[in-house]
Structure formats: structure tokens, C-alpha cells
Amino acid sequence: MSLLGYHGFNNWENHFMEDENERDNILFGFELEAREDDSNYVENQLSPEQVACKLGEEFGNLFVYERDSSIGRGVEIISQPMTMNYYMAHIDLFKKLLKMLDKMNYVSTKGNKCGLHIHFNRKALGYNSKEFETLKNKVGNLRKANNLDHERANETISNIVSIMEVYKDELIKISGRNQSSVNQWCSFETANGTEIKEIKRVAKNKSKSGGEHNDRYRVVNTTNAKTVEIRLCRGTLMWESFNTRIHLMYNIVNIARNLQGLVTLKKLIMYKNNWETIHMMNKYIEEQNTEKRRININEVSKTTLLSSKDNLRPTSLVFGKSLAEE
């Protein structure tokens, strides 16, 4: 695949495993920015166009490659939308992507301006298939069911914002960004993560769709029609940091969508992950090479409570009684 212009592609293909679908399984995709390492001269340095061609030959249509003037002589690698099960089943491909970029003398963290942005499909942020079918049957009107589903998805987005704001300090450390980079590319909604009432107010009032161009430079970008984007993470070609950031941002969205109860940093790491992934994430977070970025997970005592509006609870579905009572 050749190197395209910025936002020059729209023929997206969802990558599912068997029996998965767009409503029950959260689709996500990442944008990884990488650029030539101009501090390390090599002969016959591959241009961004040549890098895109080589990666296209290796990975087929799994990735799209675009120019992005904000990173200089580099390439933005955009994955097709996929489920977490697909990502895990094909994890060697993503490891290989990072290794190939490194061998071609491309950098991401070292590139300073490079980011790792993760998009999540809005369609999976509302009710799952079973709940939505029940909802349609109860209200007897597809339009009303869609409106309630939209309201439920907006509640999920509020939860995402709340989690990000509460764990702002910890997430910035894990993201690899410094404060000036955060302020420029992915600013938070509040000054700190301690005023829970203010966080809940901001999360509730956060625009759930649309906005001005500058509104997209928020840690949770809601200006896109079909996706919600988490922009926090710095670009990286180191597998442990890449994989930790992918799983952590995915878990934030998955918990925001499904969980009712207390959220801790430990839960954000462990939620529905296998033990190998949990061990990898714990090790990366607690043993960072840079001391100021290390986090003792067990010492983070902050929590936030997620609770659904009564009229949107899956068990009531706006009808005032549990489906189990029928």
C-alpha cells in the first residue's frame, strides 16, 4: 500500500473473530506515528514512501499509511478496526510491525512529536445485542430504542472521561508524555484528579459528539462521528510499552461500558486480561527505567464509583422492573 495523504482513506474493514459483532465486541484501532531517526544517520535511509511500501508488502491491508506534517519526515500507521480477541490472536503481527520500523531506522518515542492514538467504535458503547433486542421489543419502536441506546453510549463516554480524570497523574506516567506535550496535544478537562464532584460534573457536561477543530486536542476526543478517541499515549516502538498502553486504554473503555461499582488502578490493569498480560503490564508499570514514571500499583488508593442511571440499567431497560421478574 502506498503512502496516502492525511485522512486520505475511508475504506475501513472490521476485523472480527468468529461469532463476534460490532455491537457486542468493542472495535478499536490505533494510529502510531513514527519518523526517521535524524540523530542517527544511515546510508540508504528509507523514505516514508518506501517504508509504507515495505510494510504494505508485509501486512497487506491490516494497516493504512498516511502522511502527517506534524511529525516531519515520517509516517502515520493506522490499523484497521479490530476486536481485542483479534489483536490477541494476531499479536505477533503487531510485534513485527514495531521491529520492522526499528530496523528501518524509524523512531516514535525518540521522535518527540509522535503519538499513539486509539479509537473506539461508538456502536459498542451502548447496549449489547441481547439488551438491544429486548429494548426494541419493549418499546415497540426502533427510533425510541436507538435514542435510548445513544443515551446509554453517552453515559459510557462520561464514564471514560471520569476514569481518565481521576487517574490523570498515573495515566500520564504510563503514557510516556510530559506535561507540556499533554497540554499541547491531549489536554485534560480538570486541573487535577482529586475533586470528584468537579470530575463528575465535567464528565456529565462533556460534549459527546461534534465540536470545533481545537476540541479534538483533548485527552478524550469526541469530535468524530463514529469513534471516540483517546489521544493520551506517546508513540513507542518498545513492545512492552505499546502493549501496555493498548490494553490499558481498552480496559478503560470496556470498564466504562460494563462495570457498575468501584474502579481502582489495579482493576484497570486486570479487567478481563489473562495472567500473562497482567504480569507484563504490572512489570512495565512498576519497573519503568525512568524513576519518575514508576508506579507502585498497590499504593494507589484512589477509586471512582461508576453507577448507571436507573432508567438505563440493563436489568430495568426503562420499564421499572427486572427482566428476571417476567
Side-chain angles (χ1 to χ4, degrees):
M1 180 177 285
S2 60
L3 187 62
L4 304 175
Y6 188 57
H7 289 176
F9 185 86
N10 55 20
N11 189 26
W12 303 105
E13 298 177 9
N14 296 336
H15 285 56
F16 296 110
M17 299 298 284
E18 187 176 359
D19 296 327
E20 293 187 326
N21 63 71
E22 199 172 359
R23 184 174 283 280
D24 294 327
N25 305 96
I26 297 173
L27 284 162
F28 74 95
F30 61 80
E31 301 169 356
L32 174 63
E33 297 167 338
R35 55 168 294 163
E36 293 178 10
D37 185 358
D38 51 19
S39 69
N40 179 36
Y41 172 78
V42 296
E43 289 188 27
N44 303 315
Q45 171 67 61
L46 295 181
S47 68
E49 291 80 6
Q50 290 171 318
V51 168
C53 286
K54 280 191 173 291
L55 294 178
E57 290 169 3
E58 182 67 34
F59 299 108
N61 69 347
L62 181 57
F63 304 114
V64 175
Y65 313 98
E66 292 186 353
R67 296 180 179 86
D68 187 339
S69 60
S70 69
I71 60 173
R73 283 183 60 81
V75 57
E76 184 172 308
I77 300 137
I78 308 169
S79 74
Q80 295 280 8
M82 71 192 90
T83 63
M84 181 53 74
N85 286 331
Y86 181 92
Y87 173 81
M88 294 298 289
H90 299 84
I91 203 160
D92 287 345
L93 294 178
F94 302 102
K95 290 181 180 179
K96 190 169 189 177
L97 169 67
L98 303 191
K99 287 179 180 177
M100 286 184 66
L101 286 165
D102 181 59
K103 286 182 179 178
M104 291 187 284
N105 197 42
Y106 272 63
V107 293
S108 194
T109 299
K110 196 175 170 183
N112 257 343
K113 297 180 180 180
C114 298
L116 171 62
H117 307 154
I118 307 168
H119 287 256
F120 297 90
N121 186 8
R122 286 177 179 265
K123 191 162 185 178
L125 302 185
Y127 293 111
N128 64 32
S129 296
K130 185 176 180 180
E131 293 165 349
F132 190 69
E133 285 304 311
T134 302
L135 184 61
K136 283 197 301 183
N137 292 335
K138 288 289 187 178
V139 300
N141 183 302
L142 180 59
R143 182 182 60 79
K144 288 182 181 179
N146 282 330
N147 287 341
L148 287 167
D149 185 58
H150 180 70
E151 188 177 348
R152 177 69 179 81
N154 284 348
E155 185 178 64
T156 297
I157 294 170
S158 290
N159 287 343
I160 295 170
V161 174
S162 289
I163 294 170
M164 297 294 293
E165 296 292 328
V166 167
Y167 293 101
K168 173 183 178 179
D169 292 341
E170 291 77 17
L171 293 176
I172 289 175
K173 288 182 179 181
I174 298 167
S175 78
R177 289 195 188 268
N178 57 36
Q179 191 60 57
S180 65
S181 176
V182 169
N183 293 342
Q184 182 176 6
W185 300 109
C186 51
S187 60
F188 281 77
E189 306 289 338
T190 60
N192 59 62
T194 60
E195 302 296 332
I196 299 299
K197 286 185 178 179
E198 174 65 9
I199 287 171
K200 294 292 185 182
R201 184 192 68 78
V202 167
K204 179 182 178 181
N205 294 332
K206 167 82 173 175
S207 174
K208 304 304 189 295
S209 62
E212 302 296 327
H213 178 73
N214 284 340
D215 292 337
R216 58 185 303 107
Y217 299 115
R218 295 284 184 175
V219 67
V220 181
N221 169 26
T222 57
T223 64
N224 300 312
K226 295 184 179 180
T227 67
V228 172
E229 177 189 20
I230 297 181
R231 294 179 53 87
L232 178 62
C233 298
R234 191 176 185 181
T236 179
L237 300 186
M238 189 176 87
W239 174 248
E240 289 77 10
S241 59
F242 177 89
N243 198 30
T244 294
R245 292 166 192 173
I246 290 287
H247 276 282
L248 187 57
M249 298 305 127
Y250 179 89
N251 278 5
I252 287 171
V253 174
N254 205 13
I255 285 174
R257 175 203 190 202
N258 292 312
L259 185 71
Q260 304 300 314
L262 285 176
V263 178
T264 63
L265 180 62
K266 185 177 288 188
K267 189 179 289 292
L268 292 178
I269 294 165
M270 295 184 67
Y271 191 68
K272 296 188 177 182
N273 275 333
N274 61 39
W275 284 110
E276 182 181 355
T277 301
I278 292 168
H279 176 73
M280 181 275 302
M281 293 175 72
N282 282 337
K283 189 172 186 297
Y284 175 74
I285 291 168
E286 295 192 325
E287 299 179 14
Q288 281 265 25
N289 290 333
T290 307
E291 185 176 355
K292 66 181 181 180
R293 293 196 177 276
R294 291 179 202 154
I295 300 170
N296 187 323
I297 296 166
N298 289 322
E299 290 183 356
V300 179
S301 59
K302 292 187 289 188
T303 62
T304 186
L305 177 66
L306 300 186
S307 60
S308 180
K309 298 175 185 175
D310 287 341
N311 69 319
L312 293 175
R313 292 181 189 276
T315 52
S316 64
L317 294 173
V318 309
F319 306 108
K321 59 180 178 178
S322 168
L323 298 177
E325 295 174 356
E326 306 234 357

